[in-house]
Amino acid sequence: MVESSKRSKWFTPSIILLAFFASATLGEDGLVANGGFETPPTNGFPSEALADGPSEIPNWKLNGTVELVSSGQKQGGMILIVPGGTHAVRLGNDAEISQELTVEKGSVYSVTFSAARTCAQMESLNVSVPPASQTIDLQTLYNVQGWDPYAWAFEAENDKVSLVFRNPGMEDDPTCGPIIDDIAIKKLFSPDKPKDNAVLNGDMEEGPWMFKNVSLGVLLPTNLDEETTSLPGWIVESNRAVRYIDSDHFSVPQGKRAIELLSGKEGIISQMVETTSNKAYTLSFALGHADDKCKQPLAVMVFAGDQAQNVHYTPDSNSTFHVADLNFTAKADRTRIAFYSIYYNTRTDDMSSLCGPVVDDVRVWYSSARRIGFSGLGFGLGFWILVLVSGLI
């Protein structure tokens, strides 16, 4: 009996360990292998600013001038920024790193990563899982910390894919290029369409991977493909990013996630919703502030088909948001709804970090099917009919 007990104690941790490695192989949500670049190379981390040729980086394949950098490391008079931990990777001219991932064919995944600029004049970063690819502009710094988390989505065409980060720039200094760190992946699911709401993922709960110890949210850059967006159902159709925020670090009107609109008209989110032509609808949404010291006034321009409305956030001591609505008549079987910030807002404490109004809990329903009318008149009428029938029986 004792021997059986010992065997059981050994067997259970072994099964848990095997299950862990099996799930990791299948691309479990979170950091990819050595996604934080904290695993030391065989010969240890380089002690000099630039090693001779590409350095070895465990779990990654390198091509070109790839440099492992350390927190506090200097180049000339500039201190290199490491977004997380003590190490990160810098990509020189036309350099790239790649890693093979095992995923589920046909599924949509979102890749979250942190990026910082260094000394290049026109800095950008190409992220790809061939054939899907996108070049993300890093020229705009959205906060004074000098780095931002980004998210990019792809649909897996095979069970094994190659995740590639490449610096497409060509600078006079071949080592100039972006620093990347904290690379994570998350499998996205298409939320169920609510019965009383035409908006998919209107509560913004399904989105990219977010690190609990990062208080900057995640930037969603331009993405015009609604099938492979990091925010299912929504697209970012402007040349600046919007910020995906969480309730751990920001004020969120509903649930745990929401969208903060940045950069005025340059940061637009939109969705095509199913409607019936010539039917009257109401678009409602929660509008608020993220409690991130954003300078007011805060306001959005909201669109529903050919209708548009300017809505200002009204501060309330008892709440960080209020509900607004827009009535419209559908002109087709699909109607575009969209939001952007009217103002270019920055934080009051540094006057540089971009911020803006928060949008959440977006709903579209038949105006004639308002719950108040049905639940009041309809329920009352039904009740007395039931009483009358009961009396007759």
Side-chain angles (χ1 to χ4, degrees):
M1 189 70 178
V2 174
E3 183 179 351
S4 175
S5 178
K6 288 182 179 179
R7 184 178 300 135
S8 176
K9 289 180 180 179
W10 174 87
F11 181 76
T12 302
S14 300
I15 292 298
I16 294 174
L17 191 61
L18 288 173
F20 171 78
F21 282 113
S23 62
T25 302
L26 293 174
E28 184 176 337
D29 292 351
L31 279 175
V32 301
N34 195 24
F37 304 103
E38 301 299 337
T39 303
T42 304
N43 298 324
F45 290 106
S47 57
E48 298 180 359
L50 181 63
D52 293 331
S55 303
E56 174 202 352
I57 302 177
N59 302 106
W60 293 94
K61 181 180 178 181
L62 315 181
N63 184 24
T65 304
V66 178
E67 178 188 359
L68 268 174
V69 298
S70 302
S71 179
Q73 181 176 318
K74 295 182 179 181
Q75 178 175 336
M78 176 179 64
I79 298 178
L80 300 182
I81 296 173
V82 172
T86 56
H87 298 93
V89 161
R90 178 162 66 168
L91 304 178
N93 283 347
D94 207 30
E96 68 178 36
I97 60 171
S98 61
Q99 182 176 144
E100 187 176 88
L101 303 175
T102 300
V103 292
E104 183 179 313
K105 183 179 179 179
S107 294
V108 175
Y109 291 83
S110 178
V111 177
T112 298
F113 60 94
S114 298
R117 290 172 47 188
T118 56
C119 46
Q121 293 299 311
M122 297 295 291
E123 206 144 321
S124 61
L125 179 67
N126 181 268
V127 189
S128 66
V129 172
S133 174
Q134 182 172 352
T135 298
I136 297 172
D137 179 20
L138 301 180
Q139 285 302 109
T140 300
L141 289 176
Y142 290 80
N143 73 88
V144 293
Q145 294 191 33
W147 62 276
D148 287 292
Y150 288 85
W152 172 78
F154 70 93
E155 182 177 350
E157 295 194 356
N158 297 289
D159 293 330
K160 290 189 180 296
V161 298
S162 182
L163 174 62
V164 184
F165 292 86
R166 184 176 67 87
N167 173 15
M170 295 298 293
E171 294 290 323
D172 293 336
D173 183 347
T175 66
C176 276
I179 291 175
I180 56 175
D181 200 2
D182 291 337
I183 301 168
I185 191 169
K186 178 185 176 184
K187 181 180 178 181
L188 297 177
F189 295 91
S190 180
D192 295 331
K193 182 173 293 186
K195 294 181 181 179
D196 58 348
N197 184 9
V199 181
L200 187 66
N201 198 23
D203 57 7
M204 313 291 181
E205 294 300 301
E206 183 64 16
W209 176 264
M210 303 185 79
F211 291 99
K212 291 184 178 180
N213 61 342
V214 176
S215 60
L216 299 176
V218 176
L219 295 177
L220 307 180
T222 305
N223 190 326
L224 300 180
D225 186 352
E226 61 183 329
E227 299 298 324
T228 57
T229 172
S230 288
L231 187 65
W234 298 90
I235 62 175
V236 181
E237 58 176 66
S238 50
N239 60 355
R240 292 283 181 90
V242 299
R243 179 179 288 131
Y244 192 55
I245 61 175
D246 63 342
S247 59
D248 292 333
H249 304 97
F250 299 86
S251 179
V252 171
Q254 180 267 345
K256 293 183 176 297
R257 306 284 188 267
I259 286 291
E260 185 178 19
L261 300 174
L262 314 172
S263 305
K265 295 181 180 179
E266 295 181 280
I268 304 173
I269 60 167
S270 68
Q271 181 173 154
M272 298 295 292
V273 299
E274 294 181 359
T275 53
T276 301
S277 183
N278 298 319
K279 291 286 187 179
Y281 289 85
T282 296
L283 162 65
S284 71
F285 60 98
L287 175 65
H289 69 78
D291 198 22
D292 56 359
K293 299 181 180 179
C294 196
K295 187 177 181 180
Q296 298 194 24
L298 300 173
V300 298
M301 184 66 75
V302 54
F303 297 85
D306 60 357
Q307 296 296 307
Q309 185 172 309
N310 180 330
V311 182
H312 275 72
Y313 165 69
T314 304
D316 186 337
S317 59
N318 297 320
S319 177
T320 59
F321 72 96
H322 65 84
V323 177
D325 57 48
L326 171 64
N327 297 319
F328 68 97
T329 299
K331 298 295 192 292
D333 58 1
R334 296 191 78 196
T335 300
R336 174 181 175 267
I337 62 173
F339 301 85
Y340 70 74
S341 173
I342 293 177
Y343 305 110
Y344 287 77
N345 301 89
T346 58
R347 290 173 54 123
T348 58
D349 55 348
D350 62 45
M351 303 301 291
S352 297
S353 297
L354 297 179
C355 57
V358 172
V359 171
D360 197 5
D361 197 21
V362 184
R363 301 171 182 268
V364 169
W365 70 86
Y366 281 123
S367 294
S368 58
R370 290 182 182 272
R371 296 183 182 87
I372 296 176
F374 179 79
S375 61
L377 178 60
F379 177 78
L381 183 60
F383 174 79
W384 288 112
I385 289 174
L386 181 60
V387 170
L388 179 61
V389 170
S390 299
L392 293 173
I393 294 174

